[in-house]
Each structure stands twice: as C-alpha cells, then as structure tokens.
Amino acid sequence: MDATTAPHRIPPEMPQYGEENHIFELMQNMLEQLLIHQPEDPIPFMIQHLHRDNDNVPRIIILGPPASGKTTIAMWLCKHLNSSLLTVENLILNEFSYTATEARRLYLQRKTVPSALLVQLIQERLAEEDCIKRGWILDGIPETREQALRIQTLGIAPRHVIMLSAPDTVLIERNLGKRIDPQTGEIYHTTFDWPPESEIQNRLMAPEDISELETAQKLLEYHRNIVRVIPSYPKILKVISADQPCVDVFYQALTYVQSNHRTNAPFTPRVLLLGPVGSGKSLQAALLAQKYRLVNVCCGQLLKEAVADRTTFGERIQPFFEKEMAVPDSLLMKVLSQRLDQQDCIQKGWVLHGVPRDLDQAHLLNSLGYNPNRVFFLNVPFDSIMERLTLRRIDPVTGERYHLMYKPPPTMEIQARLLQNPKDAEEQVKLKMDLFYRNSADLEQLYGSAITLNGDQDPYTVFEYIESGIINPLPKKIP
Amino acid sequence: METSSRELQASEYLEKHQIKELVSYLTSALLFFRPEKPREYLISLLERLRIAKVTGVAFPFFMDNSNIVAMFEMMDSSGRGTISFVQYKEALKTLGLCTEDEDLQDDGHIITLDKFKEEVNKRMKEICEKTKGKDSESYQTAAGLLLLH
C-alpha cells in the first residue's frame, strides 16, 4: 500500500478529526514522556499518562533580576491560572520532608541552598498531585546553569519561560521602596503598589537587604548567572520589559502563557475570508493561493464560470444572472460542493471568499462538512471602502483597470475615455455594505474563533497578518 | 553530525519496545474509528493490549474472523470454496504469520476456509504465547501484524 503505486485517497474526515482533537500533539506528548522516563514497561506507563490528561496544564518558569516584580507576577499568574507556586522559600518550608529540613539548616548557615538539594526538593514537590493536575510556576529557579541542567536531566521541562528585564538603575531605585506584609507574604511598594487598606499599611515592614549596595551586588550576581541559563530554553523564552506598570507586565505574561507554540502537526489550511465588499478579500485570497498553493475558491467566480461553460448548473443559474437576482442557496451549495470535493481542494486546502453571506448559508456550509479551520474578518471603515470602490475605472480600449487615487491613468487621453462599472456606483456599494453588516453579527457569533483584522492598510501588511493567523495555532480560550 | 549517547540510548529504547509501530497503530486506529473521546479510546486500546500480553489471549485487533473470511474470498475468485497451496502460503506470508524460509507441508489436501481460519488463529495464538510475559515482543508482533502491507 505504497503511496507511489496508487495515490492515497484519504477521506477528508480523517485530517479534520486529527486537527480538532489535536491527535498529533497528544501522541507527541506521550512519546516525549516515554523517551524521557524510558520505563521498562511502556504500556502501563502510557495508560497512566493518558489518565493524567495534563498536557495543557501551565508549566512556567519566571526569571528576572531582583526587584523586577517576579514574585508579584508569579503570584498573580498562580491565582489566575489556579496553579501551584514554587519558590526557594516555600520549598524549604515544607515540613514533611527530610530533604527540606536539611535544606533549611544549610540555608540558615550559609544563606543559600546547595543546588543538588534544591533540585531534589523540586522533584519531590512536582511529583505531588496538585502540581500534576493543575500545573506549576517556578519563581526565580533555576538561578544558575547548574540548576538548569539538573532540572533538565530529571525530565522537568517547562512550556513557557518568561524573563523580566529592566535597566539596573531602575531596579536599584525600585528596590529601595520594597515593603513586605509579614502576614500574607505579599510584596508592596511605597510608590508603585501601595495597598489601599490602612491596616495593611501599618503592618508593612521593609526587608533587610534592600540597600543600594546590596541590590547592586545581587544584580551583578544575577547578570553573571542568567547569561548561562538562557540557552537552555531556546524556543520557549520570552523577554518582557519590567520597566512598565505591573498590570501591563501581567497581561503580557498572561497572553504569552496562554498561547500555544507552533507544532509540527500536518495542517491543510481551509481559510474563510469574510468582509464587506471592497475589503480586499479577492486580493488576499489570490496572494494566499499563490504563496501557499491553496485553491482559490471565489463564489462569484465559480458561478460565472459555470454559466460561461454552459454546464448543467450553469443553465440553471443563467436566468438568475439575467434578472440580476441572487442565486438561491441550494444551487449555490451544489456548485460549491462540486468544486470543494475535488481532489486538489481536499489535498491542498482552499481559500473561500464571497460566501457565506448570511447565517443560513453558513449553516448549510457546515452541514455539508466544509468547516474552515481559520476564519478571518476584514474590517474596513465605510469611507475607505467608498474610496476604494467608487474611484475604480476601466479603460474600454485596452481593458486596463485603473484607480483614480491608487493607480491613476498615465495620460489625459486615457482618462477621458475611462468608464465606471455600474456596480461600483455609490448607492450600489452602500446597499451591499448594509447587507453585509446586517448579517455580520450573526456570522461573528457562529465563527467564535475567527480573527478580526484591520483591512484598511497596505495589502501586504494585511497579508502578513493573515499569514501569522494561519501559521500560529489558534489562541486558547481561558477556561 | 554525531549522535550523542543519550540519543542513541533513546533510539535503542524505541527499537527494543517497538514503540514506533505501537504509536503508528494507535494513531491509525484513532483516525479510522474517530471516537468521540480519543483519550478514553486510547486507554481502552492500551488496556486490551496489556491484558492480551499478560493472559496470552488472542488480541482482538483489526484482523478478526470476518476479515479472514473476506481475505479467503478474495483469493478464491471462482467461488469453489478452496484455495491453492501457493495462495495459502502467500496469504500467511502477507499476514506475517510465516517466514520466507519456513517450509509449509503441502499435504495434498486442498485448503478450505475452515482450515485457513484454523491455521491463522493457531499461528496468532502461538505468537502470543511464545512471547507471553516478555515485555517487548507480544504487543510488538500484535501491532506488527496489523500493518497489513
């Protein structure tokens, strides 16, 4: 059953099922765990892994210099994502572990915990139920390359690594204002993050080591070590500037942590472009078809081709064209199905535009099984559309298409004889736009995971946005 | 580019436990049957494999009785109810149930459907029993048998 002897005809349901249920990622995760732990008996291990179902829990590391706000961000992320927070302090405070008592003793003596002991503590903590089920966030660990390597050899791999960075002077100043609430352990700041309740204000104490000299020393130490830690996390690292309000840092971190990384899963794009007339759908579709070899399915074009070729469908469509009425949905769907069922569409993927116009057509499309996996709404303000469409002209002699603003005709003689397509008259355009906007709210609701783009830009810019929307995995919704 | 020892170790592990065939089988089953809940389905498949390995019971995979009958009917194009010895040997080879050099005795009797079924089942059981208790091989052959090339 070699693909070279007879071409494989894979029914389209299979790749659709694979995409929806993320089969590739599921298998990849399972295989990764198998290779990391290499159990003697793979099958019970795999069963256990599948039962755990924790492929998508947060596994985050937050690194950053002292006073960058790591702990604050880590605590907020924990609350938001409902995960467990691990810091050096709360690891050694664990009372039930012999390793923890040992670590505490050494910490009191020397102010640091030896790496081997720390990593052992981490391993014990991460093996507990709550970390497995709900994910974990490491705050400020690993500090050195040694710790990073030890963690890696144990098979503990984060999915997102956030590094906060800010200029040293800012950090030294900021650290002077640091205050800690002894009861809750939360960190406040005299200028940036002052608690509203007066009882907390009265409780706050300054921690011991925030003088300028000490902060500068800690920063030196940090810079020396962090350079060697960064190469351990090449593709999953993101640097966020800590020199902005906490809330901004938090939102950037949250968006990053909730995004999926690009996977190697096989993916045939089935793109749907929606937008009012004149928003650039045909142009973008043509660019996409050219670059990614997708099949460009323009609904209007299909119908015209059917009529021109005088196929059976064409004969039935022609009377509607002559009377300038909209073609009925059933006929439209039949023509579309005929095109989309062809082998090249199934194999290469398609870009669809011009349909669906309203909710009924969208439901019909779904029921026929043509589910797009990326939907884009191109938003263009009314004035731009009017400008784009009403200034279109065509030269009847050469057939060249001009635009009075973007591509003006070179000579006065040509300009004198230019004609305008009656469909581009102002009233016609307004009618069509109203039609679209009446239905767009319903369509937006139906295609919940659609991406809205600003179509009022240079076409290649819009194309880049569309490309990144197709290539990157769809953003996860907050559960 | 030289492969590090850890990488070699990993590929040895994959070879020894025939993980690639197993994963390939699981993915094909998922895409073919397209269950509503993929995880639960995978867990059930793996449990069956595990039990089959432990108890030596014939593992109910793609190839079941109806498939054997279908295969027989494909070979017996004239509908006589029997197949020739050469066809029988080829069929067993395709199923991976006999090796190239194994010398099947042509005892002069024509091969009927029952005999074919019996032989296929017997050999499958043999394989499961032979490798029963050893970690790697029983599901390896079970999985291997499914990849009907």
Side-chain angles (χ1 to χ4, degrees):
Chain A
M1 289 220 269
D2 209 355
T4 52
T5 50
H8 278 308
R9 306 202 62 179
I10 303 180
E13 292 85 29
M14 283 198 190
Q16 279 191 17
Y17 177 82
E19 272 171 34
E20 280 166 38
N21 294 294
H22 303 287
I23 302 288
F24 185 88
E25 288 86 345
L26 179 66
M27 287 298 170
Q28 193 176 38
N29 278 324
M30 197 156 69
L31 205 55
E32 271 175 13
Q33 290 301 307
L34 264 180
L35 282 177
I36 290 176
H37 294 104
Q38 292 191 3
E40 269 307 307
D41 213 356
I43 295 198
F45 179 83
M46 286 161 80
I47 297 180
Q48 205 188 19
H49 171 86
L50 286 171
H51 269 301
R52 257 189 254 144
D53 194 4
N54 68 344
D55 290 341
N56 293 327
V57 295
R59 293 200 295 275
I60 306 170
I61 288 187
I62 304 192
L63 300 169
S68 51
K70 287 195 302 292
T71 318
T72 327
I73 298 289
M75 285 211 243
W76 284 355
L77 276 175
C78 262
K79 273 195 222 135
H80 199 98
L81 299 169
N82 197 19
S83 306
S84 314
L85 178 63
L86 275 74
T87 61
V88 176
E89 284 78 25
N90 68 18
L91 277 175
I92 59 181
L93 284 175
N94 181 3
E95 281 153 7
F96 299 112
S97 150
Y98 170 67
T99 352
T101 3
E102 183 66 23
R104 257 202 300 272
R105 190 176 61 83
L106 288 166
Y107 186 74
L108 290 170
Q109 269 184 10
R110 306 181 213 161
K111 278 291 173 182
T112 52
V113 184
S115 297
L117 219 48
L118 181 64
V119 172
Q120 203 179 348
L121 280 173
I122 294 178
Q123 194 184 19
E124 282 172 9
R125 180 76 178 86
L126 287 180
E128 285 173 26
E129 267 309 302
D130 61 343
C131 281
I132 296 182
K133 278 257 169 309
R134 298 184 327 207
W136 42 265
I137 302 186
L138 283 177
D139 171 19
I141 310 169
E143 290 161 330
T144 61
R145 181 161 171 78
E146 190 195 344
Q147 287 179 11
L149 287 176
R150 279 179 194 266
I151 294 183
Q152 206 173 22
T153 33
L154 289 176
I156 299 171
R159 273 191 317 138
H160 297 95
V161 177
I162 296 180
M163 196 173 92
L164 298 173
S165 90
D168 281 358
T169 43
V170 172
L171 293 171
I172 295 182
E173 272 213 46
R174 216 193 263 188
N175 214 11
L176 289 174
K178 177 171 171 178
R179 299 286 178 269
I180 300 189
D181 179 353
Q183 276 187 18
T184 61
E186 292 227 7
I187 304 181
Y188 296 97
H189 195 275
T190 49
T191 328
F192 300 121
D193 194 11
W194 194 236
E197 298 89 12
S198 54
E199 41 179 52
I200 308 186
Q201 287 172 16
N202 293 333
R203 287 207 292 260
L204 288 183
M205 296 180 345
E208 345 174 287
D209 47 356
I210 55 170
S211 77
E212 286 185 20
L213 199 53
E214 285 167 340
T215 320
Q217 274 175 345
K218 279 199 271 189
L219 275 169
L220 270 177
E221 180 86 24
Y222 167 79
H223 283 301
R224 216 181 335 177
N225 286 322
I226 198 71
V227 177
R228 303 267 285 144
V229 171
I230 294 176
S232 305
Y233 305 114
K235 296 183 202 161
I236 50 181
L237 180 71
K238 177 167 170 134
V239 181
I240 299 184
S241 160
D243 194 11
Q244 30 178 349
C246 285
V247 200
D248 291 351
V249 181
F250 174 64
Y251 274 114
Q252 285 186 25
L254 191 62
T255 348
Y256 177 57
V257 159
Q258 287 177 327
S259 64
N260 290 322
H261 297 291
R262 287 177 58 178
T263 68
N264 293 330
F267 177 63
T268 20
R270 295 190 301 276
V271 183
L272 180 61
L273 293 176
L274 293 167
V277 63
S279 49
K281 304 189 292 290
S282 314
L283 180 60
Q284 298 300 328
L287 287 172
L288 277 173
Q290 186 197 33
K291 183 162 178 182
Y292 294 101
R293 311 255 205 98
L294 305 174
V295 177
N296 185 355
V297 181
C298 172
C299 190
Q301 195 80 3
L302 265 185
L303 294 175
K304 288 182 204 161
E305 278 170 13
V307 172
D309 291 339
R310 306 238 180 118
T311 61
T312 37
F313 285 132
E315 314 255 311
R316 285 154 68 182
I317 298 174
Q318 193 162 7
F320 292 99
F321 268 20
E322 282 167 7
K323 293 191 223 151
E324 293 199 8
M325 276 171 50
V327 180
D329 288 352
S330 53
L331 201 49
L332 184 63
M333 287 302 149
K334 285 207 192 108
V335 179
L336 261 184
S337 324
Q338 198 185 41
R339 183 66 182 96
L340 290 175
D341 279 338
Q342 286 178 6
Q343 197 54 19
D344 63 347
C345 273
I346 298 183
Q347 257 184 328
K348 296 196 248 174
W350 39 261
V351 182
L352 185 59
H353 57 110
V355 85
R357 226 176 20 218
D358 52 36
L359 206 55
D360 294 329
Q361 284 186 353
H363 282 310
L364 271 174
L365 257 188
N366 274 351
S367 62
L368 287 171
Y370 302 119
N371 295 318
N373 46 29
R374 293 287 186 272
V375 182
F376 294 97
F377 279 96
L378 292 167
N379 277 341
V380 188
F382 179 67
D383 295 324
S384 298
I385 294 189
M386 293 306 280
E387 191 183 282
R388 284 184 193 183
L389 293 184
T390 53
L391 299 179
R392 273 192 201 160
R393 297 284 185 271
I394 181 165
D395 179 0
V397 174
T398 59
E400 186 84 17
R401 294 174 67 179
Y402 293 103
H403 190 278
L404 291 179
M405 202 178 297
Y406 302 135
K407 191 177 159 202
T411 69
M412 284 304 296
E413 190 193 328
I414 301 183
Q415 188 161 7
R417 60 178 191 231
L418 289 179
L419 296 175
Q420 187 184 34
N421 188 342
K423 275 203 300 188
D424 286 341
E426 210 172 295
E427 301 81 33
Q428 297 282 347
V429 175
K430 271 204 202 127
L431 268 176
K432 282 197 243 176
M433 278 200 62
D434 287 336
L435 188 60
F436 175 75
Y437 280 118
R438 244 182 285 151
N439 297 312
S440 66
D442 291 331
L443 286 174
E444 273 179 41
Q445 215 179 24
L446 179 64
Y447 294 117
S449 59
I451 303 175
T452 1
L453 300 166
N454 178 11
D456 192 18
Q457 319 174 60
D458 167 62
Y460 293 104
T461 319
V462 180
F463 183 58
E464 280 181 15
Y465 278 116
I466 295 187
E467 272 184 305
S468 73
I470 295 182
I471 294 175
N472 291 329
L474 285 171
K476 268 191 288 191
K477 306 279 173 171
I478 307 177
Chain B
M1 199 166 82
E2 49 174 55
T3 44
S4 66
S5 69
R6 185 84 174 137
E7 211 174 309
L8 284 171
Q9 195 187 19
S11 55
E12 269 169 25
Y13 179 81
L14 285 182
E15 273 296 309
K16 175 173 158 213
H17 293 271
Q18 302 273 314
I19 303 287
K20 286 188 197 164
E21 281 83 354
L22 180 58
V23 170
S24 177
Y25 160 61
L26 290 174
T27 327
S28 330
L30 267 182
L31 289 178
F32 187 75
F33 294 112
R34 293 193 281 282
E36 280 283 318
K37 301 205 174 161
R39 272 181 197 265
E40 278 78 357
Y41 184 72
L42 276 181
I43 293 177
S44 72
L45 279 181
L46 285 169
E47 288 281 355
R48 274 165 33 193
L49 267 171
R50 192 170 63 95
I51 294 175
K53 190 177 66 163
V54 165
T55 63
V57 168
F59 173 68
F61 42 81
F62 277 145
M63 192 77 176
D64 60 1
N65 253 342
S66 64
N67 293 114
I68 301 182
V69 172
M71 198 164 172
F72 188 86
E73 278 171 13
M74 266 200 303
M75 292 189 287
D76 181 21
S77 40
S78 49
R80 290 172 304 160
T82 60
I83 53 174
S84 75
F85 177 70
V86 177
Q87 280 175 312
Y88 166 67
K89 190 163 171 201
E90 279 304 311
L92 285 181
K93 262 197 258 175
T94 318
L95 289 172
L97 292 172
C98 90
T99 55
E100 286 286 332
D101 11 321
E102 189 180 318
D103 200 16
L104 287 172
Q105 299 298 345
D106 182 8
D107 50 0
H109 293 135
I110 43 178
I111 319 285
T112 59
L113 173 61
D114 290 324
K115 180 153 189 307
F116 184 56
K117 246 199 276 191
E118 198 186 293
E119 189 67 29
V120 169
N121 284 329
K122 185 177 90 174
R123 282 169 185 266
M124 294 218 185
K125 229 189 193 113
E126 224 173 72
I127 290 182
C128 288
E129 264 164 35
K130 192 170 25 158
T131 57
K132 170 171 125 173
K134 265 204 265 177
D135 295 305
S136 48
E137 293 169 42
S138 58
Y139 63 81
Q140 159 232 319
T141 33
L145 290 174
L146 303 167
L147 307 175
L148 303 169
H149 289 291

